[in-house]
Amino acid sequence: MNAKEIIARRVAKELKDGDVVNLGIGLPTQVANYLPDDVHVTLQSENGFLGLGPITQEDPNLVNAGGQPCGMLPGAAMFDSAFSFALIRGGHVDLCVLGGLQVDEQANLANWVVPGKMVPGMGGAMDLVVGAKKVIIAMEHNAKDGGAKLLHRCNFPLTAQGKVSMVVTELAVFSFINQQMVLIEISDDTTVDKLRELTEANFTVSPELRPMQVN
């Protein structure tokens, strides 16, 4: 398995039967591929519908929030963006999964812009991180240049402050508990000492630390 598949498989275990879930563009969309057979969720897209599903017949007028073709399940509902964001802001999304550029030890998230680079817009990330009941950040542990993405303090413009519930990387799972970043699962391919070398953020180790649950 490559890093993205490991992350998507692990995040899928956090989705519960009956949840209303928003999956961000990119890596988070892969999470839907690994849901257990007994877990049925309703996928919400901030461009205006509930009930995303696999593509059965491609329709150029039916796309997700990232502009990618998608399908709809029986019972799906479509509405305007105002209603869609009312769902999000009203706390009706149980869980959202987003990618991340940086997360820091205070549960702050930066994921909408790299300073100095063009960006088409911030999308719905700021509303989702504040409005969803649980926020999971799915991202590779380090940047392409090897630099840390889990930091003491984010130095990119913030998406939200103190709203991250969990971070899942290919090496570990961290949860934010009582305003502390806690390592709760670790990959069989690494050690706590190696993880500290790759992670700038300070974290504590759960006394119940267990191997990362992927399969």
Side-chain angles (χ1 to χ4, degrees):
M1 283 187 282
N2 61 32
K4 291 183 178 180
E5 182 177 344
I6 291 170
I7 295 167
R9 283 180 176 274
R10 176 58 188 84
V11 172
K13 294 183 179 297
E14 294 299 312
L15 277 59
K16 308 302 182 188
D17 195 53
D19 279 351
V20 174
V21 178
N22 184 291
L23 300 178
I25 63 173
L27 192 165
T29 61
Q30 297 182 27
V31 171
N33 298 330
Y34 304 110
L35 286 175
D37 292 338
D38 60 344
V39 173
H40 303 281
V41 302
T42 300
L43 296 180
Q44 186 261 355
S45 185
E46 61 263 37
N47 61 322
F49 61 104
L50 283 164
L52 280 79
I55 298 173
T56 53
Q57 182 176 349
E58 192 165 315
D59 182 341
N61 296 311
L62 185 59
V63 296
N64 63 22
Q68 303 164 320
C70 63
M72 298 182 72
L73 296 174
M78 305 187 77
F79 31 79
D80 62 18
S81 290
F83 188 86
S84 184
F85 278 87
L87 285 175
I88 296 168
R89 295 169 182 170
H92 303 291
V93 174
D94 295 296
L95 182 149
C96 74
V97 183
L98 299 172
L101 296 170
Q102 297 176 339
V103 175
D104 68 29
E105 59 197 49
Q106 292 189 333
N108 300 327
L109 169 67
N111 79 338
W112 74 275
V113 64
V114 176
K117 292 191 176 183
M118 291 291 292
V119 62
M122 62 187 67
M126 293 181 178
D127 287 276
L128 284 163
V129 176
V130 173
K133 296 174 186 175
K134 183 174 182 177
V135 178
I136 299 177
I137 305 305
M139 66 181 191
E140 295 188 50
H141 201 89
N142 291 86
K144 291 179 180 178
D145 63 3
K149 296 173 72 174
L150 294 168
L151 307 174
H152 293 307
R153 298 291 182 273
C154 294
N155 51 52
F156 288 174
L158 292 182
T159 304
Q161 292 181 289
K163 294 297 183 179
V164 177
S165 310
M166 176 179 284
V167 177
V168 179
T169 78
E170 75 277 19
L171 299 180
V173 180
F174 298 91
S175 188
F176 287 89
I177 302 170
N178 297 324
Q179 298 182 320
Q180 283 192 316
M181 186 173 173
V182 181
L183 175 66
I184 60 172
E185 293 183 17
I186 189 167
S187 166
D188 290 334
D189 297 328
T190 192
T191 64
V192 173
D193 288 341
K194 181 64 176 177
L195 207 59
R196 291 196 187 280
E197 291 177 18
L198 298 171
T199 307
E200 180 189 297
N202 293 318
F203 61 85
T204 60
V205 179
S206 169
E208 300 175 354
L209 179 66
R210 58 187 182 270
M212 198 166 165
Q213 306 296 307
V214 175
N215 295 317

